[in-house]
Amino acid sequence: MTREVGGGSAGRHDPWMGRPDTRLAMPGSATAVRELLPTEPDPLLEAWSTMSVRRKRSSSVGSPDAIDYLRTQVNFASQLDFFRLLHQSAHWVVTLDEYLSREQFDAIPNPPDVLMVEEAVGASGSFALTVSSDDGRDFVVDRLGVRLGSTSLNISDDPERCKAIANGLFDLGRNVAPSLMLRALGLGRTAEETIGLVVGRWRLELLGSESDAVLDAWINLDDHSHWFGGQKVLRADLLRVSILLGDMIELNLEVVESKFRKTNDLGKAVDQVVSTVDRLAAAFGGNDKHDARIWGHELATAISQLPRAAHGDIRLPAMRTAPDSDIDIVDLVCRQLRAGRFHLNALVGTIVHINADGGTAGVEHIDVDVEDSTLDTIRLIRTDQGLLRSTLAEIGGLNFGEADSGIGPDVLGRPPARPQGSLNEAGSDPQPADSTTGTFLDNEYHSWAPTSTYETPVLEDVPAADPTGPARVEPDPARDLTEASDERGIGAEGLRQNYQRVLDTYSEHGVKVVAIDDDDAYAEGPAFYRLRLRPARGTSARSLQSNIDDVRLALELEAKHHIRTYLDLGAVILEVPKSKSERYPVVAEDLWNGFEWPNHSLVVPIGADMDGVPVTIDFSSSTSPHLLVAGTTGSGKSVALETILTGLCQQYDPESLRLRLVDPKGVELTFLEDDEHTDGEIGFDADDAVEILDELVTEMDHRYRTLFKPTKTKNLRDYNAIDGVAPLPWIVCVLDEYADLTSNADDLRAVEPPLQRITQKGRAAGIHVIVATQRPSADILTTRIRSNLPARLALRAADAGESRVILGEGGAEALAGDGDSLFQTPAGTVRVQCAALRRRLE
């Protein structure tokens, strides 16, 4: 292609800092274009292009005065249908491409959300990495909403209000710290980080003043950790860049650290601001022109990656430019920065401290007592609990002043918080006022506490717990836990007909089988029925199994139902799942009433087998000290876990049993939140899990070294039998949604070591672990962990591979769901219908 020599050929390309080609965006089009000419035009290089073409072809391609060059154009619009399909199929779409960048994404009609853009990726630096999403937003908002409703944050106990606030936090957070939204999948303390950064930025916007800056950009420093030497180096959260134009660009930088805490302690905030300011002062305020060009290039790259928004177009935009400008301000500023034509005018530090449990609001300055620091003082903006709540309400689009807003006195038991932006001119709190004015009195800050509507389930006809030991209930041998009534179940005649149907199916396909003429030919359980067949002489047992799909067809099974087969006592066993209308449950209360609870062991029934016999797990036994509960969505994992924990709490008093719980979803174990057996708050993430596990390791070592060794006892039972000692309780630690807790490699490395120590040595000390997950995979449930969880409760698995991870063998993929399970210990495997609480079945 050719182009005329004109105003575009001004400047000089820098081969050290500049790219050898240019990625262009066609105005208003998704078409992607790349030119084999540099970003910064260079007349000599462009003249060389013409001379090179003339040497090869004797003349220029176009007119003698034109410049010959290469342009590649890709019509991205032709791939939009496929691109939309990708976004419909996945939460997040990661695009790594030589041509596509933010400009092409923004030009798409109804574009997806662009959460992150990173330029100059790859060995040649010619790729752009873009993370975009259509429905990932919903996933993140749901997780944030759950976290906002947890007792540790106490934002609101109304899920709808929490969802509204989470929506607002996402809308603003994707501009304030887009990479943080990618971490908002339930890992770490993302909710606290998001609240801190968004509310902090919100407060700064309200306290800010108008300026003559042509460009105002907010850069998340976590996305540029290489400026400071790596992710683990101390630094602040945000950098505000305000730019004025003149003979040289005038830089005004503000370093911001936001702290979301439950105390007035600032932590390391001062050190973070000081170290960041000193680093940036050396980078942008030095006299070395070569350093200036390097840092100018870095800053220009960071600014160019930000989403562009018109002045006042969205709340808390990542970048604002001067309104009514007829030039591309961002392009002009980036050119000047890359050329090193700038000077540092001002560099200040700010800390936004948000106290979630009280505190006071106001603006003050703190002295920096650091030798040789660039800073003398740091502006400190304090946000109290009331201002936090009113800010979150406005972020979520809620009317915070009304009682029915979901965050008013009817829910929180306290007067409504002051209206948003109620700081007076001096930046301090207004005087306490009556609750009718929209503010609330200081003496009410610390008196408020969340209320809970949860009540521990009470079993009917169960005697009160004996304070001297575990409660007991008398068994009722007359009660059949799994008896099928006339209304429910298949019945003897239905079983006989199905048995004959299976015999006929094998006969039609030339497989000779012999019917078993006794009472063991068929039997019915709650979730499946069992058929026993014997291959005729000369017939391979494998031929019965290879025709199992024909049997499924004859029995008219649902697509999700599979027949489990195995050999037993000279017969081939077919375990056939029942339809929903044919099933009947095992009621947990009936199971407990008919069970003889032991005095000195930690035992709980899980469910009943096909014959109605209770199946239990004995945590005190060396064969089942720890339990793995795993199954796919809808398999009944949560119900089974609830039954086990409720049964333990019903039969063992709080002095005999303590619970330590981690629930990443924040909704599965809330029924134990206020139970007397539960120690501390329910954990939410990997950090909480590590803290709890480390405490249990310390307790385990204390029991062995300080208590058991001096008394020459080997285990908890022997120690508690000593006259005169204070009995120690059993401790059960539950890690729910283990895959979510450890899906991050760093979290897995942090959680595994203390978990492994407890599962290896905890039994004799009376410390037991239940690990539950919906996504059993070998990279999460490693061999080290599985080998120390000898008891496995496998509910329906997605496939045979997941079954092998849980049990070491297939079979769980053929379960019927809704509590149908395989319970495995070193003694063997038994099929169990897990019990459910009566209220779950009503």
Side-chain angles (χ1 to χ4, degrees), residues 365-423:
H365 287 80
I366 55 178
D367 294 329
V368 177
D369 187 18
V370 179
E371 188 176 352
D372 298 327
S373 174
T374 305
L375 285 177
D376 296 322
T377 63
I378 296 176
R379 180 172 61 156
L380 175 60
I381 302 171
R382 291 193 182 272
T383 300
D384 65 2
Q385 189 184 63
L387 199 52
L388 167 64
R389 289 176 178 277
S390 62
T391 301
L392 288 176
E394 187 164 345
I395 286 172
L398 303 173
N399 186 350
F400 202 76
E402 296 183 4
D404 63 353
S405 68
I407 316 183
D410 58 326
V411 173
L412 300 179
R414 59 181 287 172
R418 66 174 61 79
Q420 216 275 338
S422 60
L423 294 177

Side-chain angles (χ1 to χ4, degrees), residues 466-480:
D466 184 351
T468 62
R472 291 174 57 87
V473 293
E474 294 301 320
D476 182 7
R479 170 164 265 163
D480 187 345

Side-chain angles (χ1 to χ4, degrees), residues 13-287:
H13 172 61
D14 186 340
W16 182 38
M17 301 295 299
R19 287 170 49 184
D21 60 357
T22 305
R23 184 185 291 113
L24 300 175
M26 303 298 287
S29 169
T31 301
V33 175
R34 288 192 66 184
E35 287 187 356
L36 197 60
L37 283 175
T39 306
E40 299 294 330
D42 183 344
L44 179 61
L45 185 64
E46 294 173 349
W48 171 86
S49 172
T50 297
M51 289 187 292
S52 177
V53 171
R54 285 177 175 175
R55 180 175 179 275
K56 294 292 185 183
R57 305 188 184 185
S58 302
S59 63
S60 61
V61 176
S63 64
D65 295 330
I67 301 170
D68 303 290
Y69 69 106
L70 175 67
R71 167 180 281 193
T72 305
Q73 181 169 311
V74 176
N75 185 10
F76 178 48
S78 64
Q79 302 297 321
L80 287 185
D81 289 341
F82 175 70
F83 200 63
R84 290 193 179 99
L85 179 62
L86 287 177
H87 284 84
Q88 293 169 6
S89 305
H91 282 309
W92 313 105
V93 176
V94 180
T95 306
L96 185 65
D97 195 89
E98 287 187 85
Y99 296 91
L100 303 182
S101 60
R102 180 182 292 276
E103 289 83 358
Q104 282 74 43
F105 281 72
D106 291 342
I108 298 173
N110 300 316
D113 286 340
V114 176
L115 265 77
M116 188 176 73
V117 176
E118 184 176 349
E119 298 278 0
V121 175
S124 64
S126 59
F127 291 84
L129 184 147
T130 309
V131 181
S132 55
S133 170
D134 269 350
D135 65 349
R137 170 204 178 93
D138 296 334
F139 186 62
V140 172
V141 167
D142 286 343
R143 297 307 295 262
L144 282 175
V146 170
R147 186 68 173 123
L148 292 172
S150 68
T151 55
S152 60
L153 288 181
N154 286 334
I155 300 302
S156 173
D157 58 3
D158 185 332
E160 292 302 318
R161 271 59 188 183
C162 289
K163 183 81 174 285
I165 294 174
N167 266 302
L169 287 174
F170 183 90
D171 284 338
L172 303 184
R174 57 185 294 216
N175 294 318
V176 176
S179 61
L180 186 62
M181 295 299 99
L182 293 178
R183 302 203 309 269
L185 309 180
L187 307 177
R189 301 184 180 275
T190 312
E192 289 90 335
E193 291 182 54
T194 304
I195 292 173
L197 287 174
V198 173
V199 173
R201 171 82 188 275
W202 187 279
R203 300 308 306 155
L204 287 170
E205 291 280 335
L206 289 176
L207 295 173
S209 58
E210 294 294 328
S211 72
D212 296 327
V214 297
L215 185 146
D216 196 32
W218 289 83
I219 297 171
N220 178 26
L221 293 179
D222 278 347
D223 296 337
H224 302 278
S225 57
H226 62 283
W227 290 2
F228 306 94
Q231 285 285 353
K232 296 183 179 180
V233 178
L234 203 66
R235 64 181 177 277
D237 292 321
L238 301 172
L239 174 64
R240 182 179 187 176
V241 182
S242 297
I243 293 178
L244 291 90
L245 289 179
D247 293 337
M248 295 185 70
I249 279 182
E250 189 174 289
L251 283 182
N252 295 287
L253 306 181
E254 180 179 10
V255 172
V256 179
E257 172 64 24
S258 184
K259 288 293 184 190
F260 181 88
R261 300 202 159 217
K262 296 185 177 182
T263 66
N264 285 322
D265 181 27
L266 296 179
K268 296 182 179 178
V270 173
D271 293 337
Q272 289 173 275
V273 171
V274 169
S275 63
T276 304
V277 166
D278 289 346
R279 176 66 167 169
L280 296 179
F284 295 102
N287 296 320

Side-chain angles (χ1 to χ4, degrees), residues 287-452:
N287 296 320
D288 191 315
K289 64 178 182 179
H290 298 295
D291 281 354
R293 289 173 59 208
I294 292 173
W295 282 103
H297 181 84
E298 288 289 332
L299 185 58
T301 300
I303 291 173
S304 65
Q305 292 173 4
L306 297 174
R308 303 189 185 191
H311 186 76
D313 191 29
I314 57 176
R315 300 187 301 175
L316 305 191
M319 185 196 319
R320 285 194 183 94
T321 57
D324 304 324
S325 175
D326 57 354
I327 60 173
D328 188 339
I329 294 295
V330 177
D331 181 66
L332 175 61
V333 166
C334 288
R335 285 177 182 271
Q336 294 285 78
L337 288 172
R338 288 192 174 100
R341 294 192 290 271
F342 64 86
H343 73 90
L344 182 61
N345 181 60
L347 179 54
V348 297
T350 298
I351 298 172
V352 181
H353 177 264
I354 303 162
N355 192 329
D357 279 356
T360 57
V363 180
E364 57 189 88
H365 287 80
I366 55 178
D367 294 329
V368 177
D369 187 18
V370 179
E371 188 176 352
D372 298 327
S373 174
T374 305
L375 285 177
D376 296 322
T377 63
I378 296 176
R379 180 172 61 156
L380 175 60
I381 302 171
R382 291 193 182 272
T383 300
D384 65 2
Q385 189 184 63
L387 199 52
L388 167 64
R389 289 176 178 277
S390 62
T391 301
L392 288 176
E394 187 164 345
I395 286 172
L398 303 173
N399 186 350
F400 202 76
E402 296 183 4
D404 63 353
S405 68
I407 316 183
D410 58 326
V411 173
L412 300 179
R414 59 181 287 172
R418 66 174 61 79
Q420 216 275 338
S422 60
L423 294 177
N424 60 26
E425 292 182 359
S428 60
D429 271 334
Q431 293 299 313
D434 184 77
S435 61
T436 58
T437 66
T439 65
F440 55 95
L441 303 178
D442 286 343
N443 60 8
E444 292 175 330
Y445 277 125
H446 304 288
S447 62
W448 169 79
T451 57
S452 174

Side-chain angles (χ1 to χ4, degrees), residues 385-626:
Q385 189 184 63
L387 199 52
L388 167 64
R389 289 176 178 277
S390 62
T391 301
L392 288 176
E394 187 164 345
I395 286 172
L398 303 173
N399 186 350
F400 202 76
E402 296 183 4
D404 63 353
S405 68
I407 316 183
D410 58 326
V411 173
L412 300 179
R414 59 181 287 172
R418 66 174 61 79
Q420 216 275 338
S422 60
L423 294 177
N424 60 26
E425 292 182 359
S428 60
D429 271 334
Q431 293 299 313
D434 184 77
S435 61
T436 58
T437 66
T439 65
F440 55 95
L441 303 178
D442 286 343
N443 60 8
E444 292 175 330
Y445 277 125
H446 304 288
S447 62
W448 169 79
T451 57
S452 174
T453 58
Y454 167 77
E455 295 180 2
T456 303
V458 179
L459 300 181
E460 299 177 2
D461 303 322
V462 177
D466 184 351
T468 62
R472 291 174 57 87
V473 293
E474 294 301 320
D476 182 7
R479 170 164 265 163
D480 187 345
L481 298 172
T482 60
E483 182 179 3
S485 66
D486 293 337
E487 293 80 16
R488 307 186 74 173
I490 298 176
E493 179 59 25
L495 289 175
R496 188 194 65 77
Q497 293 176 2
N498 285 349
Y499 191 70
Q500 185 61 50
R501 196 177 300 170
V502 173
L503 293 175
D504 293 344
T505 300
Y506 279 123
S507 177
E508 291 169 0
H509 289 83
V511 180
K512 298 179 179 180
V513 295
V514 178
I516 297 177
D517 191 17
D518 57 34
D519 293 339
D520 290 335
Y522 42 80
E524 181 177 8
F528 68 96
Y529 57 92
R530 182 178 62 211
L531 307 177
R532 298 177 67 91
L533 304 170
R534 184 174 290 117
R537 186 179 296 274
T539 300
S540 168
R542 183 175 299 176
S543 62
L544 273 72
Q545 296 171 327
S546 63
N547 284 274
I548 206 69
D549 282 344
D550 299 310
V551 174
R552 290 180 61 205
L553 189 63
L555 295 176
E556 300 179 358
L557 298 185
E558 298 177 31
K560 64 181 180 180
H561 286 167
H562 301 273
I563 298 175
R564 180 174 178 248
T565 63
Y566 58 94
L567 305 181
D568 180 58
L569 298 176
V572 176
I573 311 300
L574 276 61
E575 290 185 348
V576 184
K578 296 161 68 173
S579 67
K580 189 173 183 179
S581 62
E582 296 169 341
R583 297 180 66 163
Y584 48 89
V586 176
V587 181
E589 288 86 344
D590 295 342
L591 187 67
W592 298 331
N593 289 340
F595 180 66
E596 185 173 357
W597 297 82
N599 279 323
H600 305 294
S601 299
L602 188 64
V603 180
V604 64
I606 294 174
D609 65 11
M610 170 169 279
D611 300 320
V613 177
V615 177
T616 66
I617 178 171
D618 183 356
F619 288 103
S620 306
S621 169
S622 60
T623 61
S624 55
H626 312 290

